[in-house]
Amino acid sequence: MTEEKTLPSHFIREAVAEDLASGRFGHIATRFPPEPNGYLHIGHARALIITFSTAVENNGFCNLRFDDTNPVKEDVEYVDAIKKDIKWLGFEWKNEFYASDYFDQLYEYALELIKKGKAYIDEQTPDEVRENRGTLTEPGVNSPYRDRSVEESLDLFERMKNGEYPDGSIVLRAKIDMASGNTNMRDPIMYRILHEPAHHRTGNKWCIYPMYDFAHGQSDSLEGITHSLCSLEYENHRPLYDWFINELDIFPTRQIEFARLNLTYTVMSKRRLVRLVKEGYVKGWDDPRMPTLTGYRRRGYTPEAIRSFVEATGVAKKNSTADVGLLEHHIRQDLNIRA
């Protein structure tokens, strides 16, 4: 008889087990939501492995959902590369979705919030919005457009959708609390105008696009995702995530945050990795010098070694940096087993 492996306990496993035991959820559904604006790197591996493994361990499912809400930076090349990397690591998703699949429904949700007096059209300039947001120690200042009528906001939002305004001229904002100690709750922007370029899936149908904070939770809810597992920088966004779900009275996905994976001597900024590729410092995203999963693949790293490395670094609530030597140890160990 094969002895069943006991998985080490950590706070995500404990939270999921509690939710099943209490009846909060009757099954487990997670999602992996990459933005298709670059290739996956070693830092993404932790999020990917935690998210897919949580579903597998609980006989649930994980959806792959591309966060394609910013057509300026997105490309089909990245979509294909991300899918290839996930399969290389040994995971399969149940459904393949895109945030753009929900653009019509998100627009209806926005109309609902306007009608409830929970959202309004703001005509301040981007600089004015930024200045009036306040600081960590000082409250924000209400927009002079905050109390405009529901009817006027509905009319302006329709005209935004119809392309009557240039980029950056007006936005739709949630109406929450400009004095909140959490700056994410200070009337966050829900929709902005982006006329160019054409979206890779919806073409020129839309010239307004939802912000991540508005699209993310509602997409999770629409898919019946039970646990939205996010990196630690979204911890302060959780009250806003819950606010949208509560105001819309939709399926209450639970967000749980964990620490990101950082690696010594390794560039983990996607923005900088994009520059390395586009400015010709490397030969491509799969250059063996790159910390991308496809770069490691060309270097001869195995998916088993990367999974073993990520599991060894654990799941924590505090950001830390793993030594690159630990990753190299796991690849040597795996290659020795195969020799």
Side-chain angles (χ1 to χ4, degrees):
M1 178 184 257
T2 303
E3 187 174 339
E4 194 170 316
K5 181 181 178 181
T6 301
L7 297 171
S9 178
H10 57 65
F11 69 94
I12 293 179
R13 285 188 175 128
E14 291 170 358
V16 169
E18 289 170 4
D19 286 344
L20 287 172
S22 69
R24 179 174 183 172
F25 300 114
H27 68 284
I28 299 302
T30 62
R31 85 292 167 267
F32 182 59
E35 186 177 358
N37 62 357
Y39 282 51
L40 298 181
H41 57 61
I42 188 65
H44 295 121
R46 171 180 281 177
L48 192 163
I49 291 169
I50 289 174
T51 300
F52 277 91
S53 295
T54 298
V56 171
E57 292 165 10
N58 292 280
N59 298 313
F61 67 85
C62 181
N63 287 342
L64 171 61
R65 183 177 68 243
F66 290 97
D67 173 35
D68 56 346
T69 56
N70 185 357
V72 174
K73 297 181 178 180
E74 296 156 4
D75 196 290
V76 175
E77 174 194 354
Y78 301 139
V79 170
D80 294 338
I82 289 168
K83 290 194 287 187
K84 183 176 181 180
D85 284 342
I86 294 171
K87 290 182 178 180
W88 179 68
L89 276 179
F91 295 106
E92 291 286 342
W93 53 91
K94 179 180 181 182
N95 303 294
E96 180 180 326
F97 292 128
Y98 296 78
S100 55
D101 294 336
Y102 309 120
F103 281 175
D104 289 287
Q105 182 60 66
L106 291 170
Y107 181 76
E108 293 299 320
Y109 282 155
L111 291 177
E112 183 177 339
L113 291 174
I114 294 173
K115 291 173 182 176
K116 289 178 63 176
K118 298 293 184 176
Y120 63 96
I121 296 294
D122 193 356
E123 296 181 60
Q124 294 181 102
T125 66
D127 286 340
E128 289 172 334
V129 171
R130 196 175 302 108
E131 290 169 7
N132 291 336
R133 195 172 182 225
T135 65
L136 293 175
T137 57
E138 297 178 352
V141 177
N142 285 352
S143 165
Y145 305 99
R146 195 173 195 267
D147 294 321
R148 72 188 331 156
S149 70
V150 167
E151 292 72 23
E152 188 178 9
S153 282
L154 287 172
D155 176 63
L156 290 170
F157 192 44
E158 175 74 14
R159 291 167 64 186
M160 273 178 68
K161 180 175 76 72
N162 292 339
E164 295 184 28
Y165 296 96
D167 293 4
S169 55
I170 61 176
V171 295
L172 179 68
R173 298 179 70 178
K175 191 175 184 179
I176 309 180
D177 181 8
M178 290 299 292
S180 173
N182 184 338
T183 57
N184 294 302
M185 301 296 282
R186 296 180 186 175
D187 291 11
I189 295 173
M190 295 168 55
Y191 271 89
R192 80 288 205 198
I193 302 171
L194 289 173
H195 283 285
E196 297 291 344
H199 191 277
H200 72 111
R201 286 176 63 83
T202 61
N204 293 311
K205 177 180 178 180
W206 298 93
C207 64
I208 58 171
Y209 291 93
M211 301 296 288
Y212 180 83
D213 276 331
F214 180 59
H216 185 53
Q218 283 58 260
S219 299
D220 285 343
S221 182
L222 287 165
E223 292 174 21
I225 300 303
T226 59
H227 295 84
S228 174
L229 307 178
C230 305
S231 49
L232 203 59
E233 65 262 35
Y234 292 102
E235 183 175 26
N236 289 334
H237 294 248
R238 191 185 340 133
L240 178 57
Y241 182 99
D242 293 339
W243 186 89
F244 281 126
I245 285 178
N246 292 335
E247 289 296 333
L248 292 167
D249 193 25
I250 54 180
F251 182 80
T253 304
R254 179 182 181 184
Q255 178 176 303
I256 302 176
E257 309 84 20
F258 56 88
R260 298 178 65 176
L261 174 60
N262 295 303
L263 201 59
T264 56
Y265 312 111
T266 306
V267 176
M268 306 288 263
S269 164
K270 192 186 288 186
R271 176 176 55 82
R272 289 175 178 165
L273 294 177
V274 168
R275 283 192 61 193
L276 288 176
V277 174
K278 291 193 172 181
E279 295 179 17
Y281 292 101
V282 295
K283 294 182 179 179
W285 288 95
D286 64 345
D287 189 304
R289 295 168 293 178
M290 290 283 277
T292 55
L293 295 182
T294 185
Y296 284 122
R297 186 158 62 245
R298 276 197 68 193
R299 200 186 301 183
Y301 281 37
T302 63
E304 292 80 8
I306 290 178
R307 289 177 64 163
S308 175
F309 162 70
V310 169
E311 289 166 6
T313 62
V315 180
K317 293 185 179 182
K318 185 177 180 181
N319 286 327
S320 60
T321 300
D323 195 299
V324 69
L326 180 61
L327 174 60
E328 293 168 348
H329 163 76
H330 281 273
I331 184 60
R332 283 195 300 270
Q333 190 174 53
D334 186 64
L335 292 177
N336 285 336
I337 292 173
R338 294 167 184 273

